């Protein structure tokens, strides 16, 4: 069959249709030259991650009911992080079930109690720019910090992935989040994302992909970018990502990822965005989200002086190495309010080890902070950092919905690691800039 | 692909999962049909009573906002609703709807559809004919592969069928 010149030109044009990074990754996973927002396509996943809560005992069980094997053992990572480090017998049962399940299914990549899934997945060298990844958890979007398209899916959808390696996707519109200028000392990625939550609400970017870009993002550490990506979930977005750069390459290489390509996986210059939202990084002040939604965020001044019962640094959002260092910067040479509860659950064992080695944890302990085992724990109201009846807390986690971190009578504020540490010093919500 | 012909049950924005599946109305096992009778009971008590097989649910923005509860679309399907048309959907409701066997169509003109309008929905072409008003609205078409999942009654029955076939 002969092909006319016009047809050739058309297909070349199609190949060159400018796309955002999200669209490029989806197109690749769907085996198509290009995709556009609104289109529904079927993608082959490059990697699937599931944890002890929604993994073996839910998706795993459904897979067994189907009676088929895992589609590709090289592409599945199972991580235990949610119901660990406590003596609740139900939780221990979940752990032994998870361990039996990975064994009986010959799971190749099992990360047992090394840290929170969204942290140890990249730390394990599994994540690379350009990958289409699904995770059985709503904060799976964290992986977008490395230039991937990573989405959270429910247990039923994870079953489909385990069985077939495929999932359908409605291509999201991409919104450019341009974070301009240089963040002030004492202002962090967490403040940027809380500001976005306050301005746009928890449904603000429903089903859209967020591309975080701008001078402030380029200047951020990769761990800070993980905070931005992580809380795309609190903006209702399907995914949130940063284009990879040399920093991404360096960090991933340190975690053992090979063949990292930071050049292909970028948005095209003329790609179409549904909107551009600008955050003026230079004038941004520390933000605090009042109970009981991240969208109740506003400048810390609005709540300064509010009495607190405890402070917590933890979760996949707020106890990475950089987060611990931010807290230490505020706490160095100071003491927290006497009798005040200040607890820290590092995001992963290796980050805790590094923070131990460089003296960060010592500074926090000297100030009166108590280091707890790593894991989700306090984020979901498990363990010693669970809020008590009527208690008011502040934490560096991502959600403060009613009953999230304690009984329904408890109240939780959200802030950056700087703000949480400063608030621990005074036993009340405090602007960290007075200590820096 | 077959079309869906039915009456519109047209509502507004932000129909949430608590309205669709009030807490405590169904525990995941037991009598689904009885649970579904609670659908929209606080907002429109006549809905669950009068909805017919083949009817179409219409809303404007943020359809299905709220929790990830699969019972929200499941109740609608159990009551006979065969398609949901809305200006925009909450992300998780949208996915859950297909995965329990209910097609969801994003239609920018959904606000023009009134209660009781007679509709013909063609998921494959994305066309919705409003016979009452003599107009046609255009939405993003639903690929056949996704309609296969819907046709099977949802993702799990679809997987069972597909994997058994290939086994
Ligand atoms: S730390 Fe909290 S938000 Fe993060 S994965 Fe664990 S439970 Fe989810």
């Amino acid at each position: 069959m002969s092909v006319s010149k016009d047809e050739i030109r058309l297909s070349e044009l199609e190949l060159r249709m400018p796309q955002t990074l999200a669209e490029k990754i989806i197109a690749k996973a769907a085996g198509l030259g290009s995709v556009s927002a609104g289109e529904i396509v079927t993608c082959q996943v490059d990697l699937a991650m599931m944890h002890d809560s929604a993994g073996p005992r839910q998706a795993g069980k459904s897979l067994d009911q189907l009676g088929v094997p895992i589609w590709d053992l090289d592409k599945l990572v199972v991580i235990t992080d949610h119901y660990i480090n406590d003596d609740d017998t139900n939780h221990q049962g979940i752990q032994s079930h998870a361990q039996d399940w990975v064994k009986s299914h010959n799971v190749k990549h099992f990360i047992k109690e090394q840290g929170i899934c969204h942290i140890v997945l990249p730390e394990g060298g599994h994540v690379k720019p350009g990958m289409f990844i699904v995770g059985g958890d709503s904060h799976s979007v964290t992986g977008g910090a490395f230039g991937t398209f990573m989405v959270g899916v429910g247990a039923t959808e994870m079953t489909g992935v385990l069985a077939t390696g495929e999932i359908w996707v409605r291509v999201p519109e991409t919104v450019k989040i341009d974070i301009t200028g240089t963040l002030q000392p004492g202002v962090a990625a967490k403040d940027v994302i809380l500001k976005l939550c306050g301005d746009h609400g928890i449904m603000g970017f429903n089903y859209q992909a967020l591309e975080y870009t701008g001078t402030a993002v380029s200047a951020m550490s990769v761990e800070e970018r993980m905070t931005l990506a992580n809380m795309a979930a609190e903006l209702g977005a399907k995914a949130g990502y940063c284009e990879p750069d040399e920093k991404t390459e360096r960090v991933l290489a340190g975690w053992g990822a090979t063949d990292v390509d930071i050049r292909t996986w970028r948005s095209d210059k003329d790609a179409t965005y549904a909107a551009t939202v600008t955050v003026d990084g230079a004038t941004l002040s520390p933000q605090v989200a009042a109970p009981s939604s991240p969208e109740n965020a506003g400048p810390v001044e609005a709540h300064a002086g509010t009495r607190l019962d405890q402070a917590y640094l933890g979760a996949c959002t707020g106890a990475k190495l950089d987060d611990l260092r931010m807290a230490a910067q505020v706490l160095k040479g100071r003491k927290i309010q006497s009798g005040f509860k200040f607890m820290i659950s590092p995001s992963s064992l290796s980050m805790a080890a590094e923070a131990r080695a460089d003296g960060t944890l010592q500074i926090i302990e000297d100030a009166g902070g108590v280091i707890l085992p790593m894991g989700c724990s306090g984020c979901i109201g498990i363990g010693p950092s669970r809020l008590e009846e009527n208690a008011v807390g502040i934490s560096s986690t991502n959600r403060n919905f009613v009953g999230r971190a304690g009984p329904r009578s408890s109240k939780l504020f959200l802030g950056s690691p700087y703000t949480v540490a400063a608030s621990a010093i005074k036993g009340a919500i405090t602007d960290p800039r007075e200590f820096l | 692909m077959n079309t869906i012909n039915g009456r519109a049950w047209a509502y507004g924005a932000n129909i949430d999962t608590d309205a669709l599946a009030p807490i405590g109305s169904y525990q995941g096992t037991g009598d689904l049909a009885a649970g579904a009778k609670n659908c929209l009971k606080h907002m429109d008590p006549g809905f669950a009573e009068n909805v017919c097989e083949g009817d179409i649910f219409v809303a404007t923005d943020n359809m299905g906002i709220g929790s990830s509860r699969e019972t929200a679309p499941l109740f609608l399907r159990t009551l006979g609703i065969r398609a949901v048309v809305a200006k925009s959907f909450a992300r998780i409701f949208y996915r859950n709807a297909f995965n329990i066997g209910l097609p969801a169509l994003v239609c920018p003109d959904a606000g023009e559809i009134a209660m009781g309008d007679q509709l013909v929905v063609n998921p494959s072409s994305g066309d919705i004919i409003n016979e009452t008003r003599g107009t046609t609205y255009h939405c993003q078409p639903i690929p056949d592969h996704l309609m296969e999942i819907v046709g099977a009654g949802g993702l799990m029955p679809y997987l069972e069928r597909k994997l058994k076939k290939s086994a």
Side-chain angles (χ1 to χ4, degrees):
Chain A
M1 205 173 78
S2 70
V3 179
S4 79
K5 261 194 190 142
D6 280 354
E7 278 177 66
I8 293 176
R9 216 168 292 142
L10 193 71
S11 64
E12 278 177 359
L13 256 179
E14 262 170 16
L15 277 178
R16 274 191 273 116
M17 197 173 86
Q19 298 193 97
T20 68
L21 176 53
E23 290 159 353
K24 272 191 192 174
I25 297 175
I26 294 170
K28 180 212 60 178
L32 299 168
S34 64
V35 294
S36 50
E39 201 179 327
I40 298 172
V41 296
T42 299
C43 292
Q44 307 287 327
V45 314
D46 294 309
L47 186 67
M49 181 274 287
M50 59 184 197
H51 56 53
D52 51 333
S53 182
R57 69 182 182 136
Q58 291 187 32
K61 207 167 131 208
S62 304
L63 181 78
D64 295 345
Q65 276 161 12
L66 288 172
V68 293
I70 294 165
W71 100 103
D72 188 339
L73 287 167
D74 287 321
K75 293 182 178 161
L76 173 69
V77 182
V78 179
I79 297 167
T80 46
D81 62 348
H82 271 60
Y83 299 112
I84 60 170
N85 294 324
D86 75 323
D87 32 75
D88 182 310
T89 48
N90 282 335
H91 297 168
Q92 289 167 353
I94 294 171
Q95 294 315 311
S96 54
H97 174 267
Q99 287 163 31
D100 292 346
W101 192 88
V102 296
K103 211 184 231 163
S104 61
H105 291 74
N106 299 316
V107 170
K108 241 182 174 170
H109 305 296
F110 175 43
I111 307 179
K112 188 183 159 208
E113 302 177 23
Q114 296 296 302
I116 300 166
C117 57
H118 310 302
I119 311 296
V120 296
L121 185 74
E123 276 186 342
H126 296 285
V127 173
K128 283 186 235 184
M131 280 183 148
F132 182 101
I133 315 177
V134 298
D137 185 282
S138 54
H139 289 100
S140 298
V141 286
T142 312
F146 306 95
T148 71
F149 185 81
M150 184 161 178
V151 295
V153 300
T156 311
E157 301 206 286
M158 184 55 88
T159 309
V161 171
L162 290 177
T164 66
E166 283 180 3
I167 190 160
W168 66 272
V169 182
R170 181 169 186 268
V171 181
E173 296 175 326
T174 307
V175 174
K176 187 186 276 199
I177 309 280
D178 190 10
I179 308 165
T180 59
T182 307
L183 299 182
Q184 292 172 33
V187 178
K190 182 62 169 285
D191 299 304
V192 174
I193 201 79
L194 285 177
K195 168 82 175 143
L196 287 164
C197 289
D199 286 354
H200 299 274
I202 53 172
M203 284 289 287
F205 299 100
N206 182 32
Y207 225 112
Q208 293 175 312
L210 307 181
E211 179 174 304
Y212 301 106
T213 182
T215 47
V217 178
S218 307
M220 271 178 201
S221 69
V222 171
E223 286 185 24
E224 279 282 84
R225 295 176 194 169
M226 289 171 81
T227 302
L228 293 181
N230 178 274
M231 286 188 65
E234 278 62 45
L235 289 164
K238 184 160 184 64
Y241 64 86
C242 305
E243 291 173 298
D245 60 8
E246 283 76 20
K247 283 187 204 172
T248 322
E249 195 174 28
R250 214 176 314 125
V251 168
L252 290 179
W255 288 339
T258 49
D259 301 325
V260 171
D261 173 4
I262 60 168
R263 262 153 274 283
T264 310
W265 302 110
R266 312 187 64 82
S267 291
D268 292 326
K269 224 176 77 239
D270 302 319
T272 309
Y273 295 87
T276 297
V277 170
T278 307
V279 177
D280 182 3
T283 60
L284 184 70
S285 60
Q287 304 282 303
V288 159
S292 294
S293 171
E295 70 183 16
N296 295 339
V300 64
E301 294 93 311
H303 302 283
T306 302
R307 303 301 311 167
L308 298 167
D309 299 297
Q310 78 173 60
Y312 179 68
L313 286 178
C316 48
T317 326
K320 301 179 281 354
L321 186 56
D322 279 359
D323 301 316
L324 301 172
R325 285 177 176 157
M326 284 181 226
Q329 215 182 310
V330 171
L331 294 166
K332 194 169 175 118
R334 298 194 169 89
K335 291 272 182 223
I336 64 164
Q337 184 86 357
S338 81
F340 188 79
K341 276 165 78 176
F342 178 35
M343 283 163 285
I344 300 92
S345 266
S347 301
S348 79
L349 283 186
S350 70
M351 286 179 176
E354 231 176 296
R356 176 60 71 197
D358 73 3
T360 300
L361 291 188
Q362 194 58 52
I363 294 171
I364 297 175
E365 283 173 335
D366 289 345
V370 176
I371 311 295
L372 302 176
M374 64 75 208
C376 296
S377 57
C379 177
I380 41 176
I382 293 176
S385 54
R386 181 180 169 80
L387 285 162
E388 287 169 13
E389 287 289 348
N390 300 309
V392 184
I394 188 165
S395 95
S396 63
T397 57
N398 47 34
R399 287 188 176 160
N400 59 343
F401 299 125
V402 173
R404 169 82 181 184
R408 295 182 68 82
S409 65
S410 62
K411 289 199 163 59
L412 188 62
F413 287 85
L414 303 176
S416 75
Y418 290 125
T419 304
V420 170
S423 302
I425 293 172
K426 290 213 174 165
I429 293 177
T430 303
D431 187 333
R433 288 174 297 185
E434 59 182 89
F435 295 116
L436 292 165
Chain B
M1 190 64 228
N2 297 337
T3 55
I4 302 153
N5 304 19
R7 265 183 319 164
W9 290 84
Y11 299 96
N14 301 319
I15 310 292
D16 63 35
T17 50
D18 281 333
L20 292 162
I23 292 177
S25 46
Y26 181 64
Q27 306 304 336
T29 51
D31 192 348
L32 182 59
K37 288 280 175 214
N38 294 296
C39 187
L40 295 192
K41 69 176 174 190
H42 302 298
M43 211 177 90
D44 181 359
F47 171 69
E49 218 169 292
N50 298 313
V51 65
C52 297
E53 174 74 30
D55 283 355
I56 293 151
F57 195 95
V58 181
T60 58
D61 280 311
N62 293 332
M63 171 60 191
I65 186 172
S67 79
S68 60
R69 217 169 298 168
E70 281 186 357
T71 37
L74 194 57
F75 277 5
L76 291 176
R77 194 178 60 110
T78 306
L79 291 169
I81 292 290
R82 286 298 165 259
V84 185
V85 174
K87 258 173 98 171
S88 68
F89 288 89
R91 185 169 55 93
I92 299 176
F93 178 92
Y94 182 79
R95 296 197 67 86
N96 282 345
F98 284 100
N99 290 331
I100 60 93
L102 184 65
L105 287 98
V106 180
C107 175
D109 304 317
E112 290 174 23
I113 302 170
M115 196 61 113
D117 281 2
Q118 199 64 37
L119 305 179
V120 180
V121 176
N122 184 335
S124 307
S125 70
D127 287 346
I128 299 175
I129 303 167
N130 188 333
E131 292 185 327
T132 309
R133 280 159 215 281
T135 45
T136 300
Y137 317 115
H138 303 285
C139 338
Q140 200 84 30
I142 311 293
D144 291 344
H145 163 249
L146 207 49
M147 286 310 290
E148 267 179 52
I149 296 181
V150 167
L155 182 59
M156 281 306 284
Y158 167 80
L159 288 171
E160 272 165 33
R161 194 183 290 179
K162 177 176 158 168
L163 297 170
K164 283 219 180 90
K165 230 185 250 168
S166 60

